Amino acid sequence: MTEPYTGPPRPEDIEDAAELESARLEREADAILLEGEARTFSPRPIHEAVREDVAAAGDWGRTRTARLRRAVEDEPMKATLYALGLGVVIGMLVSR
């Protein structure tokens, strides 16, 4: 038999796959927004602000470095070809 019509689905009834890349990015964006909301916007010494920004830049760099290292280890031939292509393009630009 057929199921009776229950109307349009409610947002609570919709299930998203937890392991999708978009779901992971959404969670990271939510965490960044919550972190930003938790910060106070009161005046503070410039050296503290610079120190926090340097720490954030260092974290960003370490994360990107680890991601790059994994990508190169997973596909070394692809990374080599990209590096070769980039070297050729830079060489052509420099020789102008």
Side-chain angles (χ1 to χ4, degrees), residues 11-74:
E12 304 87 42
D13 296 337
I14 299 173
E15 294 179 15
D16 291 332
E19 294 304 315
L20 290 177
E21 183 70 14
S22 60
R24 183 186 65 78
L25 291 174
E26 240 179 85
R27 286 192 304 273
E28 287 181 15
D30 289 342
I32 290 170
L33 290 174
L34 285 174
E35 178 183 307
E37 289 175 3
R39 291 180 67 183
T40 59
F41 292 103
S42 61
R44 58 190 172 151
I46 189 79
H47 67 276
E48 286 181 19
V50 170
R51 196 173 295 142
E52 288 175 9
D53 290 345
V54 167
D59 291 341
W60 180 85
R62 280 186 287 281
T63 302
R64 297 290 181 225
T65 302
R67 197 167 105 188
L68 176 65
R69 186 178 308 256
R70 276 194 313 274
V72 170
E73 288 172 353
D74 290 345

Side-chain angles (χ1 to χ4, degrees), residues 75-87:
E75 299 184 60
M77 184 61 81
K78 186 177 178 181
T80 303
L81 291 175
Y82 279 155
L84 179 65
L86 186 59

